[in-house]
Amino acid sequence: VLRPGGRVQIADIVVADLPSEACRAKPRLWAECIVGATTEADYLRMFTAAGFTGVERLGELDYFAASSSSSTRGTAAGFGAHSMVMRARKPADPDPA
């Protein structure tokens, strides 16, 4: 729930390459947040399609670089997975009456 004119800022995992159907059957990729992720462009497009304005990407973080698992780091790198920070605004109510 966001009031009219309110802002949202989110950090979430995105990927450069969407996982294949075969990858979607691998529980490890679900656990590593790869399979449930989408691309940056699609993520931002979803907010625009939902009616938000000022949708913008603020930055990114290599979230997986700090993982103690070399397998997780390698998997993330293979899909171009990282954390993207974005923000958007819910349009102001045009008729507040």
Side-chain angles (χ1 to χ4, degrees), residues 28-29 32 34 64 69-81:
R28 183 176 62 84
L29 293 179
E32 292 177 344
I34 301 297
F64 296 95
S69 168
S70 61
S71 174
T72 295
R73 291 190 309 271
T75 299
F79 286 96

Side-chain angles (χ1 to χ4, degrees), residues 13-15 17-39 64 75-76 79 81:
I13 303 298
V14 294
V15 290
D17 299 310
L18 291 174
S20 67
E21 284 302 313
C23 289
R24 296 182 67 76
K26 297 180 180 180
R28 183 176 62 84
L29 293 179
W30 281 99
E32 292 177 344
C33 301
I34 301 297
V35 174
T38 190
T39 64
F64 296 95
T75 299
F79 286 96

Side-chain angles (χ1 to χ4, degrees), residues 9-13 43 61 83-86:
Q9 185 165 326
I10 298 174
D12 202 357
I13 303 298
Y43 202 102
L61 172 70
S83 176
M84 176 190 67
V85 181
M86 58 82 58

Side-chain angles (χ1 to χ4, degrees), residues 55-95:
V55 177
E56 64 180 314
R57 176 188 181 278
L58 298 176
E60 70 179 62
L61 172 70
D62 187 355
Y63 172 82
F64 296 95
S67 174
S68 61
S69 168
S70 61
S71 174
T72 295
R73 291 190 309 271
T75 299
F79 286 96
H82 59 278
S83 176
M84 176 190 67
V85 181
M86 58 82 58
R87 72 177 168 196
R89 180 180 298 271
K90 183 175 179 179
D93 189 353
D95 184 14

